[in-house]
Amino acid sequence: MKIKGGGVILFPMPFQGHINPMLQLANILHERGFSISIIHTHFNSPNTANYPHFRFYSIPDGLPENYVVSPDPIRIVALIKSLNSNCQTPVRDCLTELVSTSLEDEHPIACLITDVLWYSTQAVADDLKLPRIVLRTSNVSSFLVMVSMPLLFQKGYLPLQDSQAENQVPELPYFRFKDVSMFKVIDVGSFFEFADTVVEGTKASSGIIFNSCEDLEEEYVTKFSLCFPIPVFLIGPFHKYFPASSSSLLPQDNTCISWLDKQQPKSVIYVSFGSIAAIEETEFLEVAWGLANSKQPFLWVVRPGVVQGCKWLEPLPDGFVEMVGERGHIVKWAPQQEVLLHPSTGVFWTHCGWNSTLESLCEGVPMICQPAFGDQITDARFVSHVWKVGIHLEFKIERGVIDKAIRRSMVEPEGQEMRDRIKLLKDKMNLCLKPGGSSYKSLDNLVSYMLSL
Ligand code: UDP
């Protein structure tokens, strides 16, 4: 049903894994009749030409030209803090202008939707009397773990003690102590301050949207509502509302698809570690030899910068590419959603960023999980131990371990069991979006709520 909505202003955090879901959400709301304005930073600005139906407003962010996001999680937290302080005045100016011009517009502004990590916008929204809804681009369980970290320190669970690592955290179902140690926190005080600000900004908001669905993590949705007494809307998976999105910041290499077309059904291992995670050169070589030794066809995304200090493939031994020949295809960036939809793709070896995890679940592709930090760790735990649709590479990345994981997931009966389970999850998620499904109902509720603000 199309409802004539008001105007909505959306403000994504400028990282690939945050821009994709925010623009997908913008498309969903546009389809429901809202007019869309997007505020974005100069850094990692989206390709506006792909969205002629939206209005875009660029604001300065104080970052140097050609800034590259560090794969170090503590530096990412510092970057989020700087963005919040650098952008507070520009975003205030931009919102003030938009609010004042909207008074003469046929679409008065219903609300502001920002990434939950733009906590500094709550004060601006309050001053302008603009309801602010937040978007958490990951799932509910990982958000709860992240904001619980200060408490976990106070209880003495963190920093992680080796002797405790494998034990279950009493308050957080499914997670062991090592799963909730999302970041190696060096400056505890500074991290607490960050987590508290996110919590306060969320509690003060008019509601929260998750790119997840209730059927995936019911228990944590209940827990979340006890901690955060605000309206909660789980309306994901966003990317299934429309065909493959066009919010990629890097050019996607479409030779992947013609190469996949030549492979046998479910025979290919697709490898990608997302837009930020990095690996050591020694690990990179183990990945390469693990793939080579597995004898399976592979499509490998080697994002420039994935091995720090290297331009692209130079750490590979001479002759490696020629040796694997047509059996391997290496690209800088792939059209991932299309790759996962392709019938030749058999397994996804992933860092378990939430978008990648959700995309894989929705296409029924089992995973080999190699998380680096943050929600990737809790996602990997859900994939391997709750939904049981993947293998977690928890220890040293070494070619023998990789080769074994590939065989377990592609060739052995365990692989078929994972495929059967993930097919059920895929069907469940498709049902979520259909009339009567949990995400469908939640989106209806969100739209009514936004119209009532
Ligand atoms: N992605 C892509 N091509 C690639 C690798 C990733 O288009 O070669 C997309 C992927 O589909 C996902 C996003 O980039 O939507 C990565 O988000 P995720 O949350 O998985 O990880 P992050 O990059 O935030 O660590």
XYZ file of all heavy atoms in Angstrom, residues 339-395:
450
model
N 26.640 -12.137 -6.824
C 27.494 -13.326 -6.665
C 26.791 -14.345 -5.764
O 26.736 -15.541 -6.060
C 28.871 -12.926 -6.079
C 29.648 -14.149 -5.613
C 29.669 -12.121 -7.094
N 26.218 -13.851 -4.659
C 25.586 -14.778 -3.706
C 24.310 -15.387 -4.280
O 23.929 -16.498 -3.922
C 25.304 -14.054 -2.379
C 26.569 -13.712 -1.588
C 26.268 -12.770 -0.432
C 27.253 -14.982 -1.057
N 23.688 -14.667 -5.196
C 22.470 -15.185 -5.847
C 22.796 -16.208 -6.929
O 21.926 -16.948 -7.376
C 21.769 -14.021 -6.548
C 20.551 -13.380 -5.927
C 20.167 -12.127 -6.693
C 19.377 -14.348 -5.909
N 24.053 -16.208 -7.386
C 24.395 -17.031 -8.554
C 24.368 -18.526 -8.195
O 24.897 -18.924 -7.155
C 25.786 -16.636 -9.065
C 26.030 -17.100 -10.457
N 26.283 -18.409 -10.756
C 26.017 -16.450 -11.635
C 26.454 -18.542 -12.069
N 26.292 -17.342 -12.618
N 23.779 -19.366 -9.055
C 23.673 -20.802 -8.720
C 25.020 -21.503 -8.560
O 25.094 -22.556 -7.925
C 22.892 -21.401 -9.907
C 22.677 -20.312 -10.893
C 23.081 -19.003 -10.294
N 26.108 -20.940 -9.104
C 27.409 -21.615 -8.969
C 28.044 -21.395 -7.599
O 28.974 -22.108 -7.216
C 28.398 -21.096 -10.022
O 27.902 -21.340 -11.296
N 27.577 -20.375 -6.853
C 28.208 -20.073 -5.566
C 27.789 -21.107 -4.524
O 26.589 -21.295 -4.275
C 27.830 -18.637 -5.111
O 28.209 -17.746 -6.146
C 28.525 -18.256 -3.820
N 28.795 -21.765 -3.921
C 28.498 -22.859 -2.985
C 28.698 -22.476 -1.538
O 27.935 -22.876 -0.659
N 29.743 -21.689 -1.252
C 30.073 -21.315 0.128
C 30.641 -19.900 0.110
O 31.299 -19.506 -0.853
C 31.135 -22.296 0.716
C 31.799 -21.719 1.942
C 30.489 -23.620 1.081
N 30.364 -19.138 1.171
C 30.903 -17.779 1.299
C 31.873 -17.764 2.470
O 31.485 -17.979 3.619
C 29.736 -16.817 1.541
C 30.107 -15.346 1.650
C 31.357 -14.860 1.300
C 29.140 -14.431 2.093
C 31.671 -13.501 1.390
C 29.438 -13.071 2.190
C 30.702 -12.609 1.845
N 33.143 -17.514 2.168
C 34.153 -17.346 3.219
C 34.185 -15.850 3.523
O 34.612 -15.051 2.699
C 35.483 -17.855 2.694
C 36.636 -17.740 3.637
C 36.666 -17.195 4.884
C 37.957 -18.217 3.369
N 37.908 -17.286 5.423
C 38.724 -17.913 4.514
C 38.551 -18.873 2.297
C 40.068 -18.225 4.587
C 39.891 -19.183 2.370
C 40.635 -18.874 3.511
N 33.669 -15.493 4.693
C 33.370 -14.084 4.975
C 33.929 -13.623 6.311
O 34.141 -14.444 7.217
C 31.827 -13.874 4.961
O 31.506 -12.566 5.441
C 31.080 -14.875 5.829
N 34.089 -12.305 6.447
C 34.495 -11.716 7.730
C 33.271 -11.554 8.641
O 33.408 -11.124 9.782
C 35.162 -10.360 7.494
C 34.209 -9.291 7.052
N 33.320 -9.465 6.008
C 33.982 -8.039 7.516
C 32.609 -8.355 5.861
N 32.983 -7.479 6.750
N 32.065 -11.859 8.119
C 30.826 -11.804 8.905
C 30.394 -10.395 9.287
O 29.816 -10.192 10.361
C 30.905 -12.673 10.162
S 30.644 -14.394 9.787
N 30.692 -9.410 8.437
C 30.007 -8.123 8.582
C 28.511 -8.418 8.475
O 28.123 -9.383 7.790
N 27.673 -7.624 9.136
C 26.258 -8.002 9.178
C 25.608 -7.994 7.797
O 24.792 -8.863 7.488
C 25.478 -7.116 10.159
C 24.035 -7.485 10.227
C 22.968 -6.678 9.952
C 23.475 -8.781 10.558
N 21.786 -7.370 10.105
C 22.073 -8.667 10.470
C 24.031 -10.022 10.910
C 21.217 -9.738 10.733
C 23.172 -11.087 11.162
C 21.791 -10.937 11.076
N 25.980 -7.035 6.939
C 25.363 -7.036 5.602
C 25.723 -8.313 4.854
O 24.872 -8.949 4.240
C 25.820 -5.825 4.779
C 25.332 -4.526 5.365
O 24.150 -4.212 5.277
N 26.221 -3.796 6.001
N 26.990 -8.685 4.912
C 27.427 -9.896 4.205
C 26.723 -11.122 4.770
O 26.277 -12.005 4.034
C 28.942 -10.068 4.321
O 29.588 -9.004 3.667
N 26.621 -11.182 6.103
C 25.987 -12.342 6.748
C 24.528 -12.445 6.308
O 24.050 -13.521 5.919
C 26.077 -12.197 8.282
O 27.449 -12.022 8.628
C 25.521 -13.394 9.007
N 23.836 -11.314 6.351
C 22.419 -11.307 5.988
C 22.233 -11.654 4.506
O 21.323 -12.408 4.133
C 21.869 -9.901 6.276
C 20.393 -9.707 6.481
C 19.853 -10.645 7.548
C 20.110 -8.252 6.913
N 23.112 -11.120 3.660
C 23.010 -11.402 2.220
C 23.208 -12.896 1.971
O 22.518 -13.499 1.146
C 24.045 -10.559 1.453
C 23.672 -9.070 1.396
C 24.841 -8.114 1.098
O 25.940 -8.580 0.756
O 24.630 -6.885 1.235
N 24.131 -13.492 2.709
C 24.401 -14.920 2.533
C 23.232 -15.764 3.048
O 22.806 -16.735 2.394
C 25.681 -15.266 3.296
O 26.317 -16.368 2.745
N 22.682 -15.374 4.210
C 21.533 -16.107 4.773
C 20.365 -16.065 3.790
O 19.702 -17.074 3.547
C 21.071 -15.465 6.087
C 21.935 -15.617 7.329
C 21.346 -14.812 8.483
C 22.063 -17.075 7.746
N 20.144 -14.879 3.219
C 18.973 -14.713 2.333
C 19.105 -15.514 1.049
O 18.101 -15.836 0.417
C 18.792 -13.242 1.963
S 18.170 -12.285 3.324
N 20.337 -15.797 0.617
C 20.493 -16.581 -0.615
C 20.787 -18.035 -0.302
O 21.068 -18.830 -1.204
C 21.606 -15.989 -1.504
C 21.411 -14.529 -1.887
C 19.974 -14.139 -2.219
O 19.186 -15.000 -2.670
O 19.621 -12.977 -1.987
N 20.774 -18.390 0.971
C 20.961 -19.792 1.336
C 22.377 -20.293 1.082
O 22.568 -21.455 0.717
N 23.380 -19.423 1.255
C 24.775 -19.834 1.031
C 25.477 -20.027 2.384
O 25.657 -19.061 3.134
C 25.536 -18.760 0.196
C 26.983 -19.168 -0.016
C 24.830 -18.502 -1.133
N 25.868 -21.260 2.730
C 26.568 -21.488 4.006
C 27.889 -20.716 4.059
O 28.438 -20.364 3.015
C 26.842 -22.996 4.010
C 25.966 -23.571 2.969
C 25.711 -22.499 1.955
N 28.367 -20.480 5.267
C 29.540 -19.596 5.424
C 30.724 -20.267 6.105
O 30.546 -21.166 6.916
C 29.136 -18.379 6.265
C 28.284 -17.387 5.510
S 27.363 -16.266 6.600
C 25.764 -17.056 6.588
N 31.903 -19.783 5.759
C 33.094 -20.036 6.561
C 33.397 -18.679 7.171
O 33.523 -17.686 6.444
C 34.264 -20.539 5.691
C 33.914 -21.902 5.099
C 35.552 -20.591 6.507
C 34.952 -22.462 4.144
N 33.426 -18.607 8.513
C 33.471 -17.314 9.185
C 34.872 -16.992 9.675
O 35.454 -17.773 10.432
C 32.551 -17.324 10.403
S 30.888 -17.914 10.039
N 35.363 -15.837 9.266
C 36.663 -15.376 9.757
C 36.513 -13.935 10.244
O 36.941 -12.984 9.584
C 37.713 -15.467 8.641
C 39.111 -15.227 9.149
C 40.131 -15.198 8.029
O 39.943 -15.815 6.986
N 41.210 -14.476 8.232
N 35.880 -13.757 11.422
C 35.625 -12.397 11.894
C 36.893 -11.728 12.397
O 37.818 -12.406 12.849
C 34.649 -12.619 13.053
C 34.970 -13.973 13.561
C 35.422 -14.788 12.378
N 36.901 -10.375 12.315
C 38.067 -9.633 12.802
C 37.740 -8.903 14.106
O 38.487 -8.987 15.067
C 38.533 -8.641 11.740
N 36.645 -8.168 14.146
C 36.329 -7.399 15.359
C 34.854 -7.028 15.358
O 34.139 -7.222 14.364
C 37.188 -6.119 15.427
C 36.960 -5.171 14.274
C 35.908 -4.258 14.292
C 37.796 -5.193 13.161
C 35.690 -3.392 13.234
C 37.575 -4.329 12.095
C 36.517 -3.431 12.133
N 34.425 -6.444 16.483
C 33.073 -5.881 16.584
C 31.991 -6.921 16.357
O 32.116 -8.089 16.757
N 30.928 -6.496 15.685
C 29.780 -7.385 15.501
C 30.131 -8.603 14.655
O 29.407 -9.593 14.672
C 28.587 -6.619 14.903
C 28.861 -6.094 13.513
O 30.020 -5.757 13.236
O 27.924 -6.031 12.704
N 31.234 -8.553 13.924
C 31.631 -9.723 13.119
C 31.784 -10.952 14.020
O 31.458 -12.073 13.623
C 32.949 -9.444 12.394
C 32.888 -8.247 11.455
C 34.273 -7.698 11.104
O 35.283 -8.392 11.258
N 34.332 -6.465 10.637
N 32.277 -10.719 15.253
C 32.540 -11.843 16.163
C 31.225 -12.454 16.658
O 31.056 -13.687 16.658
C 33.413 -11.370 17.349
C 34.746 -10.843 16.797
C 33.626 -12.483 18.358
C 35.650 -10.232 17.836
N 30.280 -11.592 17.025
C 28.993 -12.121 17.514
C 28.184 -12.717 16.352
O 27.484 -13.707 16.522
C 28.199 -11.028 18.254
O 28.226 -9.831 17.482
C 28.775 -10.754 19.618
N 28.317 -12.121 15.161
C 27.619 -12.682 13.996
C 28.137 -14.101 13.710
O 27.360 -15.024 13.436
C 27.846 -11.825 12.734
C 27.259 -10.417 12.863
O 26.464 -10.194 13.781
O 27.616 -9.551 12.043
N 29.471 -14.239 13.783
C 30.077 -15.554 13.496
C 29.568 -16.592 14.488
O 29.338 -17.753 14.140
C 31.599 -15.455 13.563
N 29.368 -16.171 15.736
C 28.870 -17.097 16.761
C 27.444 -17.554 16.421
O 27.107 -18.728 16.533
C 28.910 -16.381 18.126
C 28.465 -17.226 19.274
C 29.473 -18.304 19.600
N 29.037 -19.124 20.707
C 29.526 -20.323 20.972
N 30.487 -20.841 20.237
N 29.090 -21.008 21.991
N 26.607 -16.599 16.006
C 25.240 -16.972 15.625
C 25.260 -17.905 14.406
O 24.551 -18.912 14.373
C 24.397 -15.710 15.311
C 23.470 -15.340 16.430
C 23.932 -14.644 17.535
C 22.132 -15.698 16.410
C 23.088 -14.315 18.594
C 21.276 -15.380 17.454
C 21.749 -14.688 18.552
N 26.098 -17.570 13.412
C 26.148 -18.380 12.184
C 26.565 -19.814 12.507
O 25.935 -20.779 12.066
C 27.126 -17.750 11.151
C 27.409 -18.718 10.002
C 26.561 -16.440 10.620
N 27.632 -19.945 13.335
C 28.181 -21.290 13.532
C 27.475 -22.072 14.634
O 27.333 -23.281 14.523
C 29.676 -21.198 13.823
O 29.887 -20.384 14.952
N 27.018 -21.363 15.699
C 26.511 -22.128 16.847
C 25.032 -21.986 17.134
O 24.477 -22.798 17.853
C 27.325 -21.785 18.103
C 28.635 -22.484 18.099
N 29.736 -22.009 17.424
C 29.000 -23.660 18.654
C 30.721 -22.865 17.570
N 30.305 -23.870 18.309
N 24.393 -20.952 16.622
C 22.961 -20.799 16.876
C 22.194 -21.295 15.651
O 21.388 -22.213 15.728
C 22.605 -19.333 17.225
C 21.113 -19.201 17.533
C 23.444 -18.858 18.419
N 22.487 -20.713 14.497
C 21.789 -21.162 13.272
C 22.469 -22.398 12.675
O 21.882 -23.080 11.845
C 21.761 -20.032 12.239
C 21.131 -18.768 12.751
C 20.011 -18.688 13.531
C 21.583 -17.427 12.557
N 19.736 -17.360 13.806
C 20.678 -16.573 13.228
C 22.666 -16.851 11.868
C 20.827 -15.180 13.223
C 22.803 -15.480 11.866
C 21.886 -14.655 12.552
N 23.734 -22.623 13.029
C 24.513 -23.791 12.562
C 24.548 -23.886 11.031
O 24.262 -24.923 10.436
C 23.949 -25.093 13.159
C 24.027 -25.137 14.679
C 23.650 -26.522 15.173
C 23.947 -26.771 16.613
N 23.325 -25.952 17.614
N 24.888 -22.743 10.424
C 24.955 -22.708 8.959
C 26.346 -22.275 8.492
O 26.493 -21.770 7.369
C 23.854 -21.781 8.372
C 22.475 -22.330 8.649
C 23.971 -20.344 8.922
N 27.329 -22.457 9.347
C 28.676 -22.069 8.946
C 29.719 -22.649 9.873
O 29.404 -23.182 10.938
N 30.975 -22.532 9.421
C 32.105 -23.031 10.213
C 32.925 -21.817 10.646
O 33.242 -20.956 9.819
C 32.975 -23.962 9.342
C 32.186 -25.226 8.997
C 34.297 -24.292 10.032
C 32.836 -26.067 7.916
N 33.232 -21.751 11.932
C 33.960 -20.603 12.460
C 35.454 -20.931 12.495
O 35.856 -21.867 13.175
C 33.424 -20.332 13.879
C 33.892 -19.056 14.479
N 33.360 -18.539 15.628
C 34.848 -18.171 14.101
C 33.959 -17.397 15.929
N 34.865 -17.167 15.020
N 36.259 -20.157 11.765
C 37.714 -20.333 11.852
C 38.180 -19.525 13.057
O 38.414 -18.332 12.955
C 38.399 -19.812 10.591
C 38.023 -20.471 9.259
C 38.784 -19.830 8.112
C 38.319 -21.970 9.290
N 38.273 -20.176 14.203
C 38.497 -19.425 15.439
C 39.959 -19.264 15.779
O 40.321 -18.436 16.574
C 37.836 -20.148 16.612
C 36.346 -20.109 16.557
C 35.757 -20.371 17.925
O 35.861 -19.495 18.781
O 35.211 -21.462 18.125
N 40.764 -20.141 15.204
C 42.153 -20.124 15.655
C 43.046 -19.660 14.516
O 42.567 -19.038 13.580
C 42.520 -21.502 16.233
C 41.573 -21.857 17.371
C 40.514 -22.744 17.184
C 41.693 -21.227 18.607
C 39.620 -23.023 18.208
C 40.796 -21.493 19.641
C 39.760 -22.399 19.436
